[in-house]
């Protein structure tokens, strides 16, 4: 048995392998490209490609692929073998620098949201040397960015890299203003906590809803749910533990820093959290984690559900995005420092985040919007759909003291003037965590809790990075021109607190009173659904900000709005169609068979003697007959609603019709079917119940 340290990164062409297999000259130029974004010479690319191929072949690979993240939300790969014919009738294994740096997949079958109408169908993949290549199965996977012939991004990685660059550029201006000339670059890092459910594969296969949509569309509450709180952090069952062991092994081999695993709140729900890493790499790793979770589950006779709300009535699954900004010299810019100067810099970065979250709360909401996540946000188990920030008591008190020029109690009753040299020292916040906040400060990072379990983390981080870059740009523009740096800094921080304190909320985000206060008093956005928020992606302020940092072009934004709304509509329509199919071909016939059985029983009893009571049968028959009628009507109505949605002539009206009509019709059908389920003999029920699914893995 190999130890963890031996297997860790075994399938990754990482720094250790590069050092061992590349000449010093090639290694140094590649490092310059990776660390400082310098252009890569083709001779270097050729040498890297050859070394990569030799290493991959030695480790059992026969193929390579440009691995990318199109707008489907999952990853894409097309495998090419390394073979090349040799004159003697055999083959040699070959891989060139050109093949490493650029690929030309046909882009026409990936979502482009209208970009294809104006640009050619051909697409390009371009090597992203900042994320290591790795072996998956028999294939060397090369992380790449994916764009159209015209250079428009067709993926999630390109804008993510652009947003990291935008933040780097603006943060460096601030760092220089504070007199630091040693820092070369700034990167954001993320540790995404991945929640998921595990269900038995045989049971899963019996449910069309799980197979087609990833969530249950029917299902009466089981007698036991999560009310005893006995699953959270509970003992992990042997079958789940075996799955987790295998999963960790595979992730570690791929250099993924899988760290924490535990049972989550809902029965059958679990979580895996990695150690944080650079956002770009964390995004690749999270995509791989989701893929490998599903693969490993199959090996164990299980299915891993990544849907945000697989079961009504118990908690859904999120993916909390723990985000921070660090310099290449190892300074976490969101950690309070030891000296007054460090703390002034910390406060400025903190203010940049506060301003960003307030100014672009709509973009943060949009970045996590999917049909699945709409079920989770605001359902008192995950943050509400209203974005706000939790800072904790100490930071809050400091900000208040600065804003009002009043003494901060912990610093000897001295009025805080936020000059670099006079800022008092304060320790990092030690207050409790707030699990109801969408965006919580946790001492040296922010936990953005709105992401759904199936979301790519790219979108949220693109918006976050760019919005913070925008705040920093505004600050740097002012500070660079300031006559007195300290006074200007103090004033700017005060102004930010004054202007943006409405976004700070330290109370209970699940409270209805908060939603009222947030929307009515504070004027914060409350976009309940994907259909509500997505059109705001194209609001002028958002387009201006995102295009000015060159993270998206206007055409890219339009295409992304189209694609996201299209995905929303398609997902809900598939759910609607699945419900019609299950209600008609499984549920109604099952109830009818049971009804027939009861009617037969009553008739037989009566045949024996008129005196025998058939009250039970006749009551049940009455109730079930009413229900089958309701099921039949609701199914027909749902079907017409689906047809009605089909008449809409654009995606915005279609998504609104889905939100306003279709989802209600789905709800009505579900209620009737769930009522029938509890009255029908389990023997006749056509698929596994909530109880079976939630407690079936032992
Ligand atoms: N324990 C928890 O933090 C629960 C989180 C919750 N499952 C969510 O969707 O965000």
């Amino acid at each position: 048995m190999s130890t963890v340290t031996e297997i860790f990164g075994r399938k990754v062409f990482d720094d250790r392998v590069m050092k061992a297999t590349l000449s010093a000259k090639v290694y140094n130029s590649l490092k310059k490209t990776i660390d400082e974004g310098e252009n890569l010479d083709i001779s270097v690319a050729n040498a890297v490609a050859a070394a990569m191929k030799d290493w991959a072949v030695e480790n059992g690979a026969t193929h390579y692929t440009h691995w990318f993240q199109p707008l489907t939300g999952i990853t894409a790969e097309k495998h090419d073998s390394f073979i090349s014919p040799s004159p003697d009738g055999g083959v040699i294994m070959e891989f060139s620098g050109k093949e490493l740096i650029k690929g030309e997949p046909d882009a026409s079958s990936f979502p482009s949201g209208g970009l294809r109408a104006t640009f050619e169908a051909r697409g390009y993949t371009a090597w992203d040397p900042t994320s290591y290549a790795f072996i998956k199965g028999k294939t060397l996977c090369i992380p790449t960015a994916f764009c159209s012939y015209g250079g428009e991004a067709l993926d999630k990685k390109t804008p993510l890299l652009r947003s990291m660059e935008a933040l780097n550029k603006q943060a460096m201006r601030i760092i220089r203003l504070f007199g630091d000339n040693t820092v070369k670059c700034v990167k954001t890092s993320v540790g995404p906590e991945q929640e998921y459910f595990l269900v038995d594969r045989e049971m899963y296969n019996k449910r069309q809803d799980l197979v087609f949509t990833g969530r249950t569309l029917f299902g009466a509450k089981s007698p036991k749910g999560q009310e005893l709180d006995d699953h959270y952090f509970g003992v992990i069952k042997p079958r789940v533990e075996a799955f987790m062991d295998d999963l960790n092994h595979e992730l570690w081999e791929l250099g993924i820093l899988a760290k924490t695993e535990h049972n989550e709140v809902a029965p059958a729900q679990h979580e895996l959290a990695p150690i944080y890493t650079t956002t770009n790499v964390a995004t690749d790793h999270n995509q791989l984690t989701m893929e490998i979770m599903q693969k490993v589950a199959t090996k164990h006779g299980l299915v891993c559900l990544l849907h945000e709300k697989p079961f009504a009535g118990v908690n859904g699954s999120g993916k909390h995005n723990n985000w921070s900004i660090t310099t290449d010299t190892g300074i976490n810019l969101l950690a309070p420092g030891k000296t007054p100067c460090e703390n002034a810099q910390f406060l400025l970065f903190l203010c940049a985040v506060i301003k960003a979250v307030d100014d672009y709360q709509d973009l943060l909401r949009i970045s996590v919007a999917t049909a699945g996540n709409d079920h989770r946000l605001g359902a008192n188990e995950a943050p509400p759909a209203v974005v706000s920030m939790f800072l904790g008591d100490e930071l809050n008190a400091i900000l208040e003291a600065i804003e009002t020029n009043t003494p901060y109690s912990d610093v000897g009753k001295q009025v805080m003037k936020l000059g670099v040299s006079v800022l008092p020292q304060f320790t990092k916040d030690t207050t409790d965590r707030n699990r109801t906040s969408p965006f919580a400060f946790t001492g040296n990072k922010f936990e953005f809790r709105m992401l759904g379990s199936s979301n790519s983390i790219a979108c949220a981080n693109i918006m976050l990075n760019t919005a913070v870059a925008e705040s920093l740009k505004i600050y740097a523009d002012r500070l660079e021109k300031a006559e007195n740096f300290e006074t200007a800094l103090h004033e700017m921080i005060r102004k930010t607190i004054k202007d943006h304190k409405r976004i700070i909320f330290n109370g209970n985000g699940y409270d209805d009173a908060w939603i009222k206060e947030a929307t009515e008093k504070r004027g914060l956005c409350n976009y309940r659904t994907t259909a509500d928020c997505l059109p705001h992606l194209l609001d002028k302020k958002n387009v201006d900000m995102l295009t000015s940092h060159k993270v998206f072009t206007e055409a890219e934004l339009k295409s992304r709005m189209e694609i996201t709304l299209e995905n929303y509509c398609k997902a809900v329509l598939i759910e609607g169609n699945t419900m019609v199919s299950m209600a008609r071909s499984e549920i109604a016939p099952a109830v009818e068979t049971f009804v027939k059985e009861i009617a037969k029983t009553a008739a037989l009893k009566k045949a024996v003697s008129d005196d025998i009571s058939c009250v039970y049968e006749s009551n049940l028959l009455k109730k079930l007959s009413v229900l089958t009628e309701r099921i039949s009507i609701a199914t027909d109505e749902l079907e017409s609603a689906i047809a009605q949605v089909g008449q809409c002539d654009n995606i915005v009206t279609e998504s609104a019709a889905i939100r306003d009509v279709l989802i209600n019709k789905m709800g009505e059908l579900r209620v009737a079917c769930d009522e029938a389920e509890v009255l029908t003999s389990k023997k006749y029920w056509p698929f596994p119940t909530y109880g079976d699914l939630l407690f079936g893995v032992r």
Side-chain angles (χ1 to χ4, degrees), residues 659-678:
R659 174 196 62 201
D660 300 336
V661 185
L662 195 70
I663 290 181
N664 292 335
K665 290 290 164 206
M666 287 165 61
E668 285 166 20
L669 177 56
R670 175 173 187 151
V671 170
C673 291
D674 291 358
E675 279 177 33
E677 181 190 328
V678 293

Side-chain angles (χ1 to χ4, degrees), residues 195 232 264-265 269 315-318 320 376 381-382 435 449:
E195 293 182 335
Y232 191 57
E264 252 301 332
V265 172
Q269 192 186 26
N315 265 23
S317 298
H320 306 163
R376 183 184 152 259
E381 54 175 282
R435 295 169 65 147
R449 296 173 65 95

